[in-house]
């Protein structure tokens, strides 16, 4: 049986919509009929064929990893899932054998393989997903929201890494993940939330998703001045670095309280320089963040949406998958939130 799939056909920029065989699933896997998928920045890197993509992706392959869909076939013993279940899935496939996996710390598996990166992805009518990676959806949450659980999970993992109640928070980078992180910090009881970017369009979107966030365009204004304006005197308690900009990271370091904690999700370039003594004398904690804590983050994401967190406005575009080029153009404009590709209309 054949299906439509969006693939990276060859080692060059661009993607292609093709007909290919429906995956044959192995023991321990589910075949999922994809309903909605979302485009990740990673997918844009693969489209553009940047250095990371050239080093990582082995064409031809189906890409994409953010999705929700329906189980149509299962191979293997599981009491947790059945055919007909609506599921999303953790995109990191772990080995299950290493020390961290055996101890239940799956997010720290050094042998992690990415769906749509190291194995065929979900920009397709059907996809094979390891049963251990599936996440059952909740009927109280709109199905489409599950298409963005992967990046919402990055935001959740980063925002909740350190205690947040009553804290002043600085978030650098107002991409979709930074904006969702601001909404999460508000939901769980942060005090002031300052979100910076150099794009007014992104900061405006942030205001739509989380109206109480204090947005700052750092092309025009210094964070030190913002601190004074809002009555802060000692610096931010928690920093969430989501821009990957060395300039933003350094300004964050300059604005932390003594003993402040920084969670870093944005990928810094290898030549980023920081003032180390600034970090040392102020006893700053730096914590790298990768992916989601499987499945604790997924549990918290579900709980927050069920208890009133609303991030639905972060979805700014939806296209039939035949029009995927329009979705990628939106993503590349630098003004969009999350973009959904609809596979359910067939
Ligand atoms: Zn492992």
């Amino acid at each position: 049986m054949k299906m439509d799939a969006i693939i990276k056909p060859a080692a060059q920029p661009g993607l292609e919509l093709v007909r290919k065989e429906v995956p044959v699933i192995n023991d321990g896997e589910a075949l999922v009929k994809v309903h909605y998928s979302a485009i990740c920045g990673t997918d844009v890197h693969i489209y553009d064929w940047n250095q990371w993509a050239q080093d990582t992706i082995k064409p031809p392959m189906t890409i994409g990893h953010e999705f929700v869909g329906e189980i149509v076939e299962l191979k293997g013993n599981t009491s947790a899932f059945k055919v007909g279940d609506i599921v999303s899935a953790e995109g990191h496939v772990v080995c299950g054998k290493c020390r961290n996996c055996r101890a239940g710390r799956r997010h720290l598996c050094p042998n992690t393989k990415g769906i749509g990166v190291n194995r065929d992805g979900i920009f397709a009518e059907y996809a094979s997903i390891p049963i251990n990676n599936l996440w059952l959806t909740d009927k109280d949450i709109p199905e489409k929201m599950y298409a963005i659980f992967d990046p919402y999970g990055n935001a959740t993992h980063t925002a909740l890494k350190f205690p947040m109640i009553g804290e002043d928070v600085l978030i650098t980078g107002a991409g979709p993940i930074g904006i969702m992180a601001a909404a999460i910090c508000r939901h769980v009881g942060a005090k002031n939330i300052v979100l910076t970017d150099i794009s007014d369009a992104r900061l405006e979107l942030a205001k739509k998703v989380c109206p109480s966030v204090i947005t700052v365009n750092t092309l025009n204004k210094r964070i030190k001045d913002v601190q004074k304006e809002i009555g802060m005197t000692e610096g931010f308690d928690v920093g969430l670095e989501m821009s990957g900009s060395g300039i933003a990271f350094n300004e964050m370091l300059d604005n932390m309280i003594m003993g402040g904690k920084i969670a870093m999700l944005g990928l810094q370039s290898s030549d980023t320089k920081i003032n180390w003594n600034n970090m040392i004398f102020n006893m700053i904690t730096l914590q790298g963040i990768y992916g989601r804590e499987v499945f604790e983050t997924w549990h918290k994401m579900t709980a927050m949406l069920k208890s009133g967190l609303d991030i639905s406005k972060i979805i700014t575009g939806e296209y039939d998958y035949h029009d995927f080029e329009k979705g990628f153009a939106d993503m590349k404009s630098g003004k969009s939130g999350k973009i959904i590709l609809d596979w359910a209309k067939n």
Side-chain angles (χ1 to χ4, degrees), residues 8 40-54 267 328:
K8 171 60 91 178
C40 177
T42 298
D43 302 319
V44 177
H45 293 321
I46 297 171
Y47 185 112
D48 290 341
W49 205 235
N50 73 354
Q51 192 59 52
W52 168 85
Q54 291 175 36
L267 298 178
F328 276 82

Side-chain angles (χ1 to χ4, degrees), residues 41-346:
T42 298
D43 302 319
V44 177
H45 293 321
I46 297 171
Y47 185 112
D48 290 341
W49 205 235
N50 73 354
Q51 192 59 52
W52 168 85
Q54 291 175 36
D55 294 342
T56 311
I57 304 296
K58 307 250 180 300
M61 68 171 287
T62 305
I63 72 157
H65 56 274
E66 304 177 357
F67 79 100
V68 61
E70 178 183 352
I71 298 175
V72 292
E73 187 188 351
L74 278 170
K75 268 190 198 161
N77 279 328
T78 173
S79 56
F81 299 97
K82 60 183 187 306
V83 169
D85 282 347
I86 305 297
V87 293
S88 184
E90 167 57 44
H92 287 173
V93 180
V94 298
C95 74
K97 298 171 190 164
C98 70
R99 176 183 173 183
N100 279 328
C101 278
R102 299 267 288 166
R105 300 184 291 263
R106 296 171 58 175
H107 60 294
L108 298 178
C109 174
N111 309 312
T112 299
K113 301 267 185 275
I115 293 173
V117 174
N118 309 110
R119 58 178 276 158
D120 271 331
I122 56 71
F123 282 172
E125 290 178 275
Y126 296 91
S128 99
I129 306 289
I131 292 170
N132 280 337
N133 283 60
L134 296 175
W135 181 259
L136 194 61
T137 61
D138 187 301
K139 61 178 174 14
D140 294 337
I141 296 172
E143 185 184 321
K144 215 171 279 179
M145 291 306 297
Y146 281 96
I148 64 166
F149 257 46
D150 177 292
Y152 169 39
N154 293 132
T156 300
H157 190 187
T158 313
L160 301 185
K161 189 65 195 177
F162 299 113
M164 186 55 66
I165 299 171
E167 304 290 52
D168 288 321
V169 187
L170 173 61
I171 306 172
T172 43
I177 295 176
I179 293 173
M180 285 190 278
I184 293 162
C185 293
R186 172 54 66 231
H187 185 72
V188 302
K191 191 180 173 195
N192 292 301
I193 303 165
V194 174
L195 175 61
T196 71
D197 206 283
I198 54 173
S199 157
D200 284 330
R202 291 196 139 164
L203 294 170
E204 279 163 27
L205 177 60
K207 278 285 193 187
K208 286 182 192 152
V209 176
C210 183
S212 68
V213 71
I214 299 157
T215 55
V216 180
N217 187 326
T218 46
L219 292 178
N220 312 324
K221 203 169 198 181
R222 298 279 55 82
I223 297 170
K224 280 265 190 278
D225 296 327
V226 177
Q227 282 205 51
K228 278 187 204 130
E229 279 174 27
I230 61 179
M232 284 179 57
T233 53
E234 296 187 65
F236 290 92
D237 305 294
V238 179
L240 310 179
E241 206 310 290
M242 301 194 156
S243 71
S245 155
I247 297 169
F249 179 37
N250 273 295
E251 191 167 7
M252 175 179 274
L253 276 173
D254 286 339
N255 281 275
M256 299 300 292
I257 197 168
M258 267 195 90
K261 296 172 171 58
I262 297 177
M264 300 186 67
L265 184 76
L267 298 178
Q268 293 286 336
S269 89
S270 57
D271 57 3
T272 295
K273 289 190 174 68
I274 69 166
N275 181 347
W276 286 104
N277 293 348
N278 199 353
M279 192 206 93
I280 293 163
F281 287 133
N282 289 308
M283 288 191 67
I284 302 293
T285 300
L286 296 182
Q287 170 74 57
I289 303 283
Y290 178 60
R292 296 141 298 280
E293 209 174 312
V294 188
F295 277 96
E296 185 64 9
T297 302
W298 289 76
H299 172 82
K300 289 180 191 296
M301 286 191 271
T302 307
M304 288 191 290
L305 290 183
K306 291 191 75 160
S307 61
L309 174 65
D310 182 2
I311 51 167
S312 56
K313 291 194 176 74
I314 198 67
I315 297 173
T316 57
E318 181 175 347
Y319 297 97
D320 184 282
Y321 70 88
H322 294 95
D323 295 324
F324 73 91
E325 292 280 9
K326 291 181 188 164
F328 276 82
D330 275 12
M331 289 288 290
K332 291 184 197 194
S333 74
K335 294 176 182 171
S336 75
K338 291 301 297 182
I339 302 296
I340 302 281
L341 298 179
D342 191 338
W343 298 82
K345 285 172 186 163
N346 289 12

